Amino acid sequence: MNLRTIAAFAAFAFSALPAHAVDILTAKGLVQIAVSPTKIAVLDIAALDTLDRLGIKPAGVPQKLYLPQLEPLKQGAEIVGDLFEPDLEALSALGPDLIIVGGRSSTKASATAQVVQTIDMTMDGDDLVAQAKERLAAYGVLFGKTAEAASAVEELDARIKAAKAAIAGKGNGLIIMTNGPKVTAYGPGSRFGWVHAALNLPAAVPDIEAANHGEAISFEFIAKANPDWLLVLDRAAAIGSGEQGAKTTLDNELVAETTAWKKNQVIYLPAAEFYIAAGGVQSIQRVVATIAEAFTAAR
Amino acid sequence: MSIAAAKQSSKTGWIAGLMLAVLFVFSLCVGVGDMPIIRLFSDGRVLELLLVSRLPRTLAAILTGAGLAIAGLIMQTLARNRYVEPATAGTAQSAELGILLVTLLLPSASLLFKSLAASAAALLGTTLFLMTAHRLPPTQPFLVPLFGLVYGGVIGAAVTFVAWQADLLQYLSVWTNGDFSGVLRGRYELLWLGALMVVIAWIVADRLTIMALGRDASIGLGLDYARMLQLGLVIVSVISALSVVVVGMIPFVGLVVPNIVSRLMGDNIRGTLPFVAASGAILVLGCDILGRLIRHPYEIPVGTVMGCVGGLIFLWLLFRRPSHV
């Protein structure tokens, strides 16, 4: 190989390097994105929600978006499977530059990585809000929208600050999920723990262990915990079935004894936002707004 | 029944009754809420807790346990095979399919309507099972439970598929894994219909014993075989469907309880039926109490506890040498 060919190779290699190769923070740590992506496939509702806030339209989306607000994203986009099962053939046919997975689809990251580079943007637990901001910043850098990302963070911070002020000094809360006739409880450290952590809401039962689907509890548990506020996630509503509502499940003689029920301080959280799109910037804002509104109304 | 056997059974009866009574009282005392027995009648709230939560839960466990054990006994009689039960041979899975379809088609249907749909589906599923089971060669006794497992598995797979499509998988767990945590006054009373089925089973107990001899023998003895088969099917289906609707599926009860009782006391259903019912109640109530205690104040579903306990009992049944043949 003579010098000229080496020089030619070097020149070619340099020209092939993208304008801005970036390192961005994912759930699996720093990942280098070599090619600035223009065509992306997203298999996580929280990521879709945040990207939507930044005005980024993915080329591939899941079959079911759960949040009606995200429905316009489907127009002109390919369906590339669902949250639990990516459609690898559709993904290959689409040929995106980057695939984003997270939460429910994060287990399929190695499968979709066979198609093209995949980043895992999962968020969970107590510092969900901090992670949501990290993801926002990462998307901002990745898609050249740092200014929008910064303003979205500001907006989010303002909402949270307002909610904190509304919540302060109005008693403790218990987060429960109803699934048909059955109830599970969540505490700090659980997947919904961020409500306690980010909004400074004291927990009625501080030591509920962090099981993914909560701890199965009886109505006696709720009666004994006697929370000032009940934050209710109706799982059936989250997945869009018209099943027995949380209200029917909770409307019984034991729950009726709690302060929360007596003072009409039961908050039904926006289910899909809280449960499916947890960590999406717009979703967090809607959840926080619902909570703030209820606490503000309380005397 | 010989005099010795009668003595034996009255002794066993005392033991079973005593155990059930002890568990009954114990169950009333176990729970998250504070319920000091001393203040039962002086403090209205204590009595209220007992009547709203503890007593319904205890009764629900007893009714479910007794019902499922009897359903297992009858199913084993009808299939003439000791290793089938509603939870494995398609009855419970059919009931689930029924509830699932009602949930999808008529989301606002009442619990009673759901139970009816579940019962109808269970009846259909069990009939199909028995029709096929009766065609299997009697010389190969393990074909029947094997077929039952496959059949139940196929229906279960259909249920899972439909639930998956409709994104109802976790909602499905409400029925697939039995759990008494949602039981309160006003939310379990349908189970008393199951008790009615047990009474009917007791009334026709002698005829059921004859049915165990097979179709030809029972017709020869003057039994209206087809009518009895229908009645047995209805009893099994209604009991299983009600249990699935109200508390969810509980495995093993219908399998191990009739087997243990028949090993101890033989196959005269008139004589064994009360013990089957009592033992089923003891087993389910005991497992529910365990589930309430292991991770107090949280709960382990009774279906999960029973999966472990029932599995162990079943292994013991398989490996233990029969005391008398």
Side-chain angles (χ1 to χ4, degrees), chain A residues 22-33 117 119-120 135 138:
Chain A
V22 290
D23 285 327
I24 65 158
L25 190 58
T26 72
K28 299 272 185 289
L30 279 179
V31 169
Q32 189 173 56
I33 312 275
Q117 184 176 20
I119 52 172
D120 181 353
R135 303 288 177 263

Side-chain angles (χ1 to χ4, degrees), chain B residues 203-259:
Chain B
I203 294 171
V204 299
D206 291 333
R207 274 171 271 184
L208 284 171
T209 309
I210 295 174
M211 277 193 78
L213 300 173
R215 186 171 180 276
D216 294 343
S218 44
I219 289 176
L221 286 165
L223 193 76
D224 188 344
Y225 185 80
R227 277 275 301 281
M228 276 308 298
L229 192 64
Q230 286 162 0
L231 183 64
L233 275 169
V234 169
I235 295 176
V236 171
S237 307
V238 170
I239 290 179
S240 316
L242 286 174
S243 316
V244 168
V245 170
V246 179
V247 296
M249 195 154 100
I250 305 176
F252 285 117
V253 188
L255 189 63
V256 297
V257 170
N259 272 293

